[in-house]
Amino acid sequence: MASPFTEEHQQFRRTVRLFCERELAPHAVEWERDESFPDWVFRRAGELGIFGAHYPKEVGGAGGDYWFSVAKSEELPRCGMAGVSMALLVQSDMATPVIHDLGSAEQKEEFLAPALRGEKIAALAVSEPAAGSDVASIETVARRDGDDYVIDGAKTFITNGTRAGFLVLLAKTDPRAGAHGCTFFLVPGDTKGLRVGKKLRKIGNHSSDTAELHFEEMRVPARYRLGEENMGFKYLMQNFQSERIIACTSAVSNGALMIEAAIAYARDRKTFGKPLIEREYWQHKLVDLTAKLEAARALSYRGAEGYNDDKYLARRDVSRETVKLISLAKIFVGDVVSEVADQCLQLHGGWGYVEEFPIARAWRDQRLFRIGGGATETLRYYVAKLMGF
Ligand SMILES: Cc1cc2nc3c(=O)[nH]c(=O)nc-3n(C[C@H](O)[C@H](O)[C@H](O)COP(=O)(O)OP(=O)(O)OC[C@H]3O[C@@H](n4cnc5c(N)ncnc54)[C@H](O)[C@@H]3O)c2cc1C
């Protein structure tokens, strides 16, 4: 596969890299400790065109293709905090694509354009206390009442949830219809009846906020319904594809940074009279990890290529073949990056277990990848179905 990146993509990549290295990374220790980062990060990312590079100009984007988003996802890990990186990817590739695909001109102007400028923080509210992988069994209900919907229920694990300017929320409009009874809504953060519950304390991604949300008699005007009633599950399955592919390319890039750090450490650290890098054991281990990571990158790029061809060139829904590739990529990347993280920490010995070394945070943070946005086992179950088993 020839490189999909043109000079324009590479220029954009440099913008994201500089933003991460100069403006974000110096705050890593503080933001991880505080379990939060300031809102200006969203505004600045918007100002630099980071959220909108792959969105059409009519909605406030730069009109680029999907490879701009891939380039961004590969550079964000350089900020050194998977929490910040994830929060920004939720804004650009997880919460907002649904608005782009389904939103009316008014909805795009009110929600999508300010989100791309980084002025409104977006959150995707799908998971619930009793329904994560099995989205069709969500229990939040939206009942039509005149010109409004009245929504009751709860969500959990919602990234950007404590400070979201708006939610892209999935609820049941026909509770008896399972997957065929779900509908998306736009919910402004100050809507009466929306209550932010506990902020969850996590083992990793400390800098991002992850919230429980409660909805009690929450009234949302019908004009904030996204797309058709009861079609939300189908839309969500489409939306998952951008979320998963971008998570893959970001995780692979994170893995490459871990290997880079491990090599630097191995050059420096001596045991039994010589640097670790001169031990054949570690040389071969690092070679094998690099090979696996490159294979993971190649598979992720196949998924990204399918996504770009379907959505950007052919302007159609993501095909089953692309969905399969993206799901396979997420399964494979998860296993590879976990192994990379574990071995790179091992190479650091006891120092890998100490907070001062970035590998400690990277090892913790990467663990989410095999769970969030489609757990590895759920994806295997899903691909098996796609393969007709
Ligand atoms: C830090 C963080 C941020 C998140 N951000 C968001 C967000 O912004 N918005 C949002 O909506 N959600 C978010 N999530 C939720 C995330 O997407 C879910 O945690 C994930 O989908 C798994 O759902 P669950 O936790 O309910 O696990 P469950 O669905 O209960 O599954 C538990 C485990 O069971 C196994 N399993 C599940 N199904 C099968 C199967 N068919 N066959 C075999 N094994 C299976 C898997 O190993 C899985 O890990 C976030 C989660 C975390 C931890």
Side-chain angles (χ1 to χ4, degrees):
M1 181 181 170
S3 170
F5 300 110
T6 62
E7 183 46 36
E8 269 185 314
H9 292 116
Q10 302 300 33
Q11 253 175 24
F12 173 67
R13 184 186 284 284
R14 282 190 286 278
T15 302
V16 184
R17 185 177 292 202
L18 285 180
F19 171 56
C20 289
E21 290 179 347
R22 293 194 183 159
E23 300 182 49
L24 305 182
H27 301 285
V29 171
E30 179 195 342
W31 294 348
E32 285 281 301
R33 184 198 60 215
D34 296 350
E35 299 194 352
S36 184
F37 66 91
D39 288 356
W40 65 253
V41 174
F42 287 95
R43 287 195 299 277
R44 180 73 178 131
E47 207 175 277
L48 291 169
I50 288 176
F51 297 132
H54 63 295
Y55 278 91
K57 289 187 176 154
E58 309 86 79
V59 296
D65 62 10
Y66 194 61
W67 292 105
F68 279 92
S69 199
V70 171
K72 166 195 66 193
S73 73
E74 292 181 330
E75 294 305 321
L76 284 176
R78 291 182 182 272
C79 76
M81 296 160 280
V84 171
S85 175
M86 182 175 69
L88 299 181
L89 290 175
V90 164
Q91 180 88 0
S92 58
D93 292 82
M94 299 179 198
T96 41
V98 201
I99 316 175
H100 172 257
D101 287 357
L102 306 180
S104 62
E106 294 75 29
Q107 288 171 337
K108 287 179 186 167
E109 197 183 319
E110 187 174 350
F111 296 96
L112 180 58
L116 299 184
R117 290 194 298 269
E119 291 163 8
K120 277 189 180 173
I121 298 174
L124 179 69
V126 173
S127 302
E128 298 190 356
S133 311
D134 182 9
V135 175
S137 64
I138 57 167
E139 291 169 354
T140 295
V141 171
R143 147 179 80 76
R144 184 82 193 229
D145 182 29
D147 288 340
D148 298 331
Y149 284 87
V150 179
I151 301 182
D152 285 281
K155 298 284 172 186
T156 192
F157 295 132
I158 308 308
T159 304
N160 298 340
T162 63
R163 54 171 159 181
F166 68 92
L167 310 175
V168 174
L169 170 116
L170 191 72
K172 279 271 171 74
T173 29
D174 184 351
R176 286 158 307 168
H180 302 290
C182 302
T183 305
F184 269 114
F185 295 92
L186 286 158
V187 180
D190 58 1
T191 303
K192 198 163 166 258
L194 164 59
R195 181 168 61 81
V196 176
K198 205 166 55 182
K199 178 173 165 181
L200 302 175
R201 298 210 62 209
K202 311 182 293 293
I203 61 169
N205 279 29
H206 288 158
S207 47
S208 77
D209 74 80
T210 312
E212 283 181 356
L213 303 174
H214 302 271
F215 320 113
E216 285 143 26
E217 289 277 308
M218 181 175 77
R219 211 163 255 281
V220 174
R223 69 174 192 282
Y224 285 164
R225 192 186 77 215
L226 266 171
E228 293 168 56
E229 219 178 62
N230 299 327
M231 293 297 286
F233 190 81
K234 177 179 170 262
Y235 301 143
L236 179 71
M237 290 303 123
Q238 286 285 312
N239 192 64
F240 266 145
Q241 306 316 315
S242 62
E243 165 169 356
R244 287 176 184 157
I245 200 64
I246 224 66
C248 284
T249 47
S250 192
V252 168
S253 172
N254 222 344
L257 290 176
M258 288 187 236
I259 292 182
E260 218 174 277
I263 293 173
Y265 185 81
R267 287 192 197 289
D268 198 46
R269 180 70 175 180
K270 285 193 180 128
T271 64
F272 303 96
K274 61 179 183 178
L276 282 172
I277 200 72
E278 289 178 22
R279 303 274 166 203
E280 197 175 49
Y281 176 88
W282 283 111
Q283 291 175 357
H284 289 187
K285 181 64 79 185
L286 289 162
V287 168
D288 288 352
L289 292 175
T290 303
K292 288 180 187 176
L293 202 63
E294 286 306 324
R297 191 194 308 276
L299 187 52
S300 303
Y301 278 12
R302 290 270 325 271
E305 187 181 32
Y307 188 85
N308 189 58
D309 289 357
D310 294 349
K311 291 286 267 193
Y312 286 74
L313 300 180
R315 306 230 175 261
R316 59 167 182 239
D317 280 355
V318 182
S319 67
R320 277 169 72 91
E321 189 50 32
T322 302
V323 169
K324 192 172 105 188
L325 271 174
I326 293 174
S327 309
L328 290 172
K330 189 158 187 299
I331 294 167
F332 188 63
V333 169
D335 290 346
V336 169
V337 171
S338 277
E339 188 187 347
V340 166
D342 196 62
Q343 289 300 324
C344 290
L345 187 145
Q346 185 71 16
L347 182 146
H348 281 73
W351 295 111
Y353 209 69
V354 170
E355 284 291 331
E356 275 96 300
F357 282 80
I359 189 66
R361 187 189 310 138
W363 176 79
R364 284 199 299 265
D365 288 352
Q366 61 77 32
R367 189 61 185 81
L368 176 63
F369 181 82
R370 279 163 46 213
I371 299 170
T376 301
E377 297 73 19
T378 317
L379 290 172
R380 285 201 172 101
Y381 161 77
Y382 188 49
V383 174
K385 282 215 262 186
L386 283 175
M387 292 172 78
F389 303 154

